[in-house]
Every structure is written in C-alpha cells, then in structure tokens.
Amino acid sequence: MSTVPYLTAGWIMLAGLYGIVTTRDLVHAVVCLSVTQSGTYVLLLAIGYRSGATAPVFSDRPPPPAGGPVTDPVVQAMTLTDIVVGATVTALLLALSVQVAKRRGTLDPGALRPLEP
Amino acid sequence: MILQATVALPVLVAALLAATGRRLPRPAVDVTALATAAAVTALTALTLARAPHRPQVTWLGGWGPGTGVGIPLAADPLAAALACVAAALTLAALAFSWRYFTEIQAVFHALILLFLASMCAFVYTGDLFDAFVFFELMSVVAFALTGYRSEEPATVHGALNFGIVQSLGAYLTLAGIALVYGRTGQLGLAAIGRHLTGTGAHGRPGALITAAFVLICTGYLVKAAAVPFHFWLADAHAVAPTPVCVLFSGVMVELGVYGVARTYWAVFPGLVPLRAVAVLGAAAAILGAVMCVLQHHVKRLLAYSTISHAGLLLVGVAAGTPAALSGTAYYLAGHAGVKGALFLAAGALLNRYQTVDARDLRGRGRVMPVTGAVVLIGALCLAGLPPSGLFAGHSVTEHAVLERGWWWFTPLSIAAGAVTAGAVLRVWLVVWRGMPLRRDPGETGPPEAGAQEGEHEGPETPGILASLPWVMVAPAVALLAAGLAVGLLPGGPVADAAALFADRDAYAALVLDGHLTRPHAPPAEPWTPAGLAGSAVTLLLAVAVAAAGVRRAARTRPAAPAARAPLARAVGAATRRLHELHSGHVGDYAAWLTAGVAVLALLTTRF
C-alpha cells in the first residue's frame, strides 16, 4: 500500500490551514475550512482502500469470501456523514459571513474591530 | 430505552417546534420547551440513580457487540451525572429566558433542545465516530445560538471565529479517529481499548497511536479552551445571549474535558502520557485568571474565569488517577452551578441596564438585592467557600495530586481561584457597594483608547422590566444552591464512580459484556484540614485582589504617563500585549491552534 494517499491527505489539510491563517477574506476562510475537511475525506478513503478490491455492493455477486475483496464500507459511510456535517458547517458559516458583510461592510478579518475591549 | 429517549425526545420536540413554532403562541412554545427539558432532566436523574446498580447500556438498532459495527450508548455513573448536570442547566436557562426575552422565535427553543440532545448523546455514546458526529452537532447548534442576534455586528463576528476555530479542531479530531480505525479496525471505545490492550505490553505504542491521541485531543481541547486553543471562548461568550452562556460555560466547555478523559481512559491509558494536557491546562488556568482580572465587561470576565477553571479541570484529569478524577468531578459540578448562577445574574443586569460594563454600573445594583447576594456568594464559591463543589474539588484533587508529587498544583489552584473570585468580587463591590457615578466631564471614560467600544450591548430585551420577576431570580438562586450543596455529596459513591470511569477493563466489560464492575475505592474526603486551610487562604487572597482592584479604580487618574513608576509601565505594556493577542482575527487563532497541536505532539511523544 502506497503512502501517497496519506501524504496527500496531510498536504490538503495543511493547505487549508495555511489558507485560514493567511486569509484576507472571511468567505475565503470558510472555503479553506472545507479544503481542510476534504483532507479528512481522502484520509478516510485511503484507510478503507484495498488494492484490487471493488466497491462493497453485493447486489450482483456474493459477499467477500466468495466474491473477491471489497473496500471497507465503514469508512465510506463515515465519509458520507462527514460530508453532511461539512455542508451544514459551511452553510452556517457562509450565512454568518453574509451577515458580517452586511453589518460591517467588509469581509477582511483584519479590518474588523477587535472584540477584546 | 431510557438512554435513547433522553436523546430522541428533545430532538423530536425541537423538530416539532421548528415546524409549528410560528403558529403557536409564545407561552405554548415556552411550556413545551420547559416540559421537555424537565422530562429530560428526570430521565437523566433516573439513569443516574440506576447507573451504580445496574448496567445502563443500549446498542442502537439492535446491532449488538457481536456485529462489530454496532453503536452503544452507555451511562456509567459519572457520565450519567454529567448528563444530569447538562439537563438541569438547560432547564434553568429555559426558565430564565421565559421573561428575559420579550421577543423570541420558537427556533431559539428548538436550538436549545437540540443542544441538550447532542450534549446528552455526546456524554452517553461509546463510539468514537458517533462522538464526533454529536460533537459537531453540538458545535453547529452552538454557532447558531451564538449568532442568534444576527443584527449585531460583534455577534456574528464572534460566532464566525467560534465556528472556524472549533470546526478546525473537530476535523483534526476526525483525522485522529481515522488513524485509530486504520490501526484497530474498530470504532467503539471499548472495542478499541480491548484491541490495544495487547499493544501496551510491548512498551512503546508507536507513533501512530501517539499521533491519533494528539489529533483526537486537539478538538476536545479546543472545546475545553486550553491555551492556546482558548481564543474563541471569550469572543463567543461576550456576544451570545446570556441564557446560552449559562450552557456554554456551565457544561459545554466541560464536555471538552470529559471528551479528553473518556477517550484517554477507555482507549489510551498507559499508552500515552497526559503531561501535555496538564501543561496546556495549567497555562489556561494562569492566562484565564490574568485576563479575567483585566476585564470590566462582566460576561467577558466570567468567560475568562471559565477558561481558568476549565484549565484546573484539565490538570485534574491529567493527573491520571481515579482519586484526582473524583476531585475533578466535584469541581465540575460545583463550577457548573456557580458559573450558571453568575451568568444569570449578569443577564439580570443586562436586562435592566442594557450594559454589563462594571464601570457604567457603579452603584446601580442596590435595587437588586437578591441578584447582589447571588453574585457575592457566587464569587466566594469560586474562591472555594465550603461546602461548595469547588471547595470539595480543590481539596480532593489537591490531596490526590500531592501523592503524585505535583506540588505546584496547590499554588496554581489557589492563585486561579483567588484571582477569578477576586475579579467577580470586585464587580460586586463596584456595582452593589460603590457610589453611583458622578458624571464629570473628565471622567467620561478610561484613559485607554478604544475602551469605550462594546460598552453598549444591543438590547436582548427591548422592554425593561420594572422589577425582576421570580422566574428570572429563582433559576439563579437554585443553581447557586446546587453548586453549594455539591460539596456535601458523600465521598464514597463519587470515588467509586471515578474508579469505574478510570478503568479501561471495567468500561469494556460494562459496554461489551453488560457486566457492571463494583470498584471499592477509598472514599473521597473533602473535609481535610489542608483543604479547609487552602479555602481560607484563597478566600483571603480573593478579598485582597478585589480590594486592590477597587482601590486602583478609585484612585485619581495618573497625572501623566511619564510620571508612572517603571513597574506600572511594564504592567501596562504587558496588559496591552495580552489584549492585542486576543485580536479577534481568525487567522491568528488558526495559527495559535497549529502551534498548540505542535506543542501537544512534542510533549506527548516519548523520546
């Protein structure tokens, strides 16, 4: 099993993190958060991968011992759940960004007044 | 069945309220939400009463432990007690909101009930990925509640910072969960624990397990506001509606501590050291206390004191012994009651005067004697007034960690308690005992530029109530009384519960085999001479801190900055630096989070 998928996952997460740290725009920050999360999708799918295996669908063939290896369905279920969670978070944070833009007239986190009095 | 009902009932009612709330009259919405919260409180109390005698475990959907992918809900006594605390606080917050908000939509009640459901589910779940899902549900509801008054710019800004930092932590947790699954092929905490038991015998657990522990802990430590993950907390608390702050400070932050403790003891005991958690917790205890005493905004002040106390809880967990854990349990329950009461008192001030800046409120609290008493007693409880839960927690934890040789815990705990309590006591002295402000032209504001900002809170309640109705006073008094009474709980059951919690095999036996181990731990004993002495010292120091704070505020303004002593200048510069660090810039917070992960990893790695 190659290490490339794991390195890719780590790279994607770090890229998203770098984007948030250096962000000049809150919408950009929210999208970078989604990028970070995409790293977890890659990581989960990489863990479930078996070389030479097929999708875990048993409608047209018998389950593993007879029908050959399949990839791990648990991590795929986790990835799907993760995508749902991600969609919720992204939608909510984008809605909040819209409110920031409306009330403050800017999306630059550096231009927002600090909250610490 | 009880465990599923505890989670399902509030979700169902929340869905109903969200769907039909527009057409329902306000009292019907309030009564429905209150009745649901009361029912959940009763269910959690029933679970708590049963937990020490019969195993409280349910496998969802009939997928039992043999199937390998089943998801258990399990309530050991400590988890059951925490769920009970969450439900009781929710009940108090809902009761307070009844008259606090003159205009509120049913969706607020729906969100609070969802929050309650996700907290209970997070506490009960025995599955790592399930814990992540409920952790995220809890967080998303928390973001929505923080940004509830979305017409306020500061509110949405605080909610956005909270959302981004918290989500980053949660995704790192998920990465850690994926690593654990990759190693063990299991997601159940108990199953992973059993699988890894063999690994411990070989000594070094390997880099993968260490990395997994660090990543999983990161998300929970963000929630628990350990330094340097704590930045979101004050921003979110300062802007969230006050009844929501009660839940945030009283139990949500503590659930982060619970997450670390549960994951460690069910999966990793003996495999990784907890010293990293102790270091970050101690840092939070100190920084939270310092930032607390620098504040005038009462909600922000209470938020920083929560950071400080959550830091002490983390240190108690990181001591890694059942005895220290029982002390931490006392502390957590006491803190939940006291901090909830203090936030409700701050809400009463905000309701009446539309501001929670202590400088504007000077002397104006005299017409609210009951609230004043709550703040005074609450402040003394934070300093460990016997028999509060914080007194018992400090006393038991101190005894337990001294056996480990952690001599530094006593000064740390006394200092954190004294400074945070002193800051709250100062607020009481200024608002309830101070002379009402004379408005001189030169006295309009403090010398620091920008200090005027945030002075005027947006009205959470447009109409000012003539006198505080009892439904706003009673929850605070009840929470404070509960926080005071926690210290009177008998030490035997608490110690047994902690011993059961801190035993990987006992937890695995409970979840996988349905077998309840009955530990016989030495009972926790809060009433020791050392504990009482510590409490007395903390109380004295707290009074000194408060008196010094009031004197400093009352002194005439320094003639010119140049005339100040070098020491005062240095303190001023340090204070400014600290305020600048908490910049409200989400990029800075993310950078600090990355640094925190690195520190956590370095301290956890065994070289």
Side-chain angles (χ1 to χ4, degrees):
Chain A
M1 179 78 192
S2 134
T3 53
V4 174
Y6 297 99
L7 292 178
T8 313
W11 177 255
I12 295 175
M13 291 190 81
L14 284 179
L17 199 53
Y18 176 79
I20 297 176
V21 171
T22 58
T23 190
R24 306 289 302 156
D25 188 304
L26 286 172
V27 174
H28 173 259
V30 174
V31 174
C32 284
L33 191 67
S34 305
V35 171
T36 310
Q37 198 184 17
S38 314
T40 63
Y41 307 155
V42 176
L43 179 65
L44 282 169
L45 292 178
I47 283 168
Y49 180 76
R50 307 276 178 279
S51 58
T54 54
V57 180
F58 305 121
S59 55
D60 53 347
R61 63 203 187 85
V70 293
T71 52
D72 188 345
V74 174
V75 284
Q76 299 181 358
M78 284 164 74
T79 311
L80 276 178
T81 316
D82 193 14
I83 290 171
V84 174
V85 168
T88 320
V89 171
T90 308
L92 186 63
L93 292 182
L94 283 178
L96 288 172
S97 306
V98 170
Q99 284 293 331
V100 169
K102 266 191 197 161
R103 306 295 162 189
R104 284 272 161 93
T106 175
L107 274 171
D108 184 353
L112 293 174
R113 247 185 298 158
L115 290 159
E116 180 82 17
Chain B
M1 270 320 278
I2 302 182
L3 296 183
Q4 288 109 310
T6 312
V7 180
L9 178 71
V11 173
L12 278 177
V13 177
L16 278 178
L17 278 182
T20 61
R22 276 177 198 284
R23 287 184 290 281
L24 286 179
R26 168 85 198 274
V29 173
D30 274 314
V31 168
T32 314
L34 270 173
T36 312
V40 174
T41 313
L43 286 172
T44 50
L46 185 63
T47 311
L48 176 59
R50 283 183 175 186
H53 311 293
R54 246 180 298 164
Q56 301 290 311
V57 181
T58 316
W59 290 81
L60 297 177
W63 291 72
T67 57
V69 289
I71 294 176
L73 291 181
D76 61 295
L78 223 50
L82 189 52
C84 198
V85 168
L89 277 180
T90 309
L91 190 60
L94 277 173
F96 182 80
S97 339
W98 186 322
R99 295 295 299 278
Y100 182 66
F101 296 111
T102 40
E103 268 179 47
I104 193 112
Q105 290 157 350
V107 73
F108 176 80
H109 300 79
L111 283 173
I112 292 271
L113 288 178
L114 262 186
F115 196 53
L116 172 62
S118 53
M119 286 193 292
C120 288
F122 178 73
V123 169
Y124 286 155
T125 188
D127 181 279
L128 260 181
F129 187 68
D130 203 33
F132 165 77
V133 171
F134 282 116
F135 188 72
E136 272 298 86
L137 177 62
M138 183 164 76
S139 303
V140 169
V141 176
F143 310 153
L145 281 172
T146 308
Y148 183 75
R149 288 180 303 136
S150 59
E151 64 279 6
E152 297 285 319
T155 301
V156 275
H157 185 192
L160 199 61
N161 284 355
F162 179 21
I164 290 180
V165 174
Q166 187 71 70
S167 303
L168 263 182
Y171 298 151
L172 293 179
T173 296
L174 180 62
I177 293 170
L179 292 183
V180 170
Y181 181 75
R183 163 58 67 86
T184 63
Q186 303 280 355
L187 284 172
L189 287 167
I192 300 169
R194 277 212 174 146
H195 191 278
L196 287 178
T197 312
T199 330
H202 302 298
R204 298 170 69 85
L208 189 123
I209 291 298
T210 307
F213 176 73
V214 167
L215 288 173
I216 292 177
C217 271
T218 301
Y220 294 153
L221 287 178
V222 171
K223 192 64 108 189
V227 168
F229 306 127
H230 68 283
F231 293 97
W232 63 269
L233 190 141
D235 291 355
H237 278 62
V239 299
T242 312
V244 175
C245 290
V246 173
L247 295 178
F248 282 9
S249 250
V251 64
M252 183 186 77
V253 171
E254 285 72 8
L255 285 184
V257 181
Y258 170 83
V260 172
R262 170 60 85 203
T263 316
Y264 175 76
W265 267 297
V267 176
F268 297 100
L271 295 177
V272 286
L274 275 174
R275 56 181 173 223
V277 177
V279 169
L280 298 193
I286 296 169
L287 185 68
V290 170
M291 292 303 293
C292 175
V293 83
L294 294 177
Q295 300 296 320
H296 294 283
H297 185 288
V298 176
K299 278 166 81 178
R300 242 186 132 80
L301 182 151
L302 290 175
Y304 279 114
S305 100
T306 298
I307 294 179
S308 184
H309 291 281
L312 287 179
L313 290 175
L314 281 172
V315 174
V317 165
T321 63
L325 189 67
S326 52
T328 308
Y330 269 122
Y331 204 87
L332 195 159
H335 176 262
V338 171
K339 193 52 71 65
L342 285 173
F343 264 113
L344 290 183
L349 282 177
L350 184 56
N351 173 268
R352 194 169 187 101
Y353 297 115
Q354 313 297 318
T355 172
V356 283
D357 192 307
R359 291 166 301 198
D360 291 347
L361 290 170
R362 171 177 291 276
R364 290 163 84 180
R366 289 169 190 272
V367 288
M368 307 161 79
V370 182
T371 310
V374 166
V375 173
L376 175 63
I377 300 174
L380 295 179
C381 284
L382 286 186
L385 177 78
S388 70
L390 292 105
F391 154 73
H394 167 78
S395 177
V396 173
T397 314
E398 182 189 33
H399 183 68
V401 299
L402 280 180
E403 285 179 352
R404 278 209 59 180
W406 285 12
W407 54 268
W408 48 267
F409 178 79
T410 308
L412 177 78
S413 170
I414 288 180
V419 174
T420 51
V424 180
L425 211 52
R426 188 195 67 207
V427 169
W428 180 78
L429 282 174
V430 169
V431 178
W432 274 275
R433 283 281 157 268
M435 283 292 126
L437 205 57
R438 287 175 292 113
R439 282 284 177 185
D440 297 352
E443 291 260 341
T444 47
E448 287 85 12
Q452 294 282 30
E453 286 173 11
E455 204 171 83
H456 288 285
E457 296 292 307
E460 284 176 10
T461 43
I464 299 172
L465 301 169
S467 70
L468 274 188
W470 67 270
V471 281
M472 283 173 71
V473 178
V477 174
L479 283 183
L480 188 66
L484 260 173
V486 164
L488 298 174
L489 288 178
V494 178
D496 284 350
L500 184 63
F501 188 95
D503 184 341
R504 172 160 69 183
D505 299 327
Y507 182 71
L510 172 70
V511 176
L512 297 177
D513 310 332
H515 170 71
L516 188 66
T517 319
R518 284 173 213 284
H520 291 287
E525 185 44 74
W527 298 92
T528 57
L532 288 169
S535 158
V537 171
T538 317
L539 282 169
L540 280 178
L541 283 174
V543 172
V545 168
V550 170
R551 267 241 314 272
R552 189 160 159 260
R555 217 184 302 150
T556 46
R557 199 139 285 124
R564 285 200 218 165
L567 181 68
R569 253 205 318 268
V571 170
T575 314
R576 240 188 342 272
R577 282 296 300 153
L578 275 178
H579 282 305
E580 278 167 18
L581 269 186
H582 298 76
S583 60
H585 191 297
V586 68
D588 295 355
Y589 293 2
W592 278 110
L593 186 136
T594 320
V597 177
V599 170
L600 205 56
L602 273 176
L603 286 172
T604 307
T605 313
R606 283 198 174 130
F607 293 108

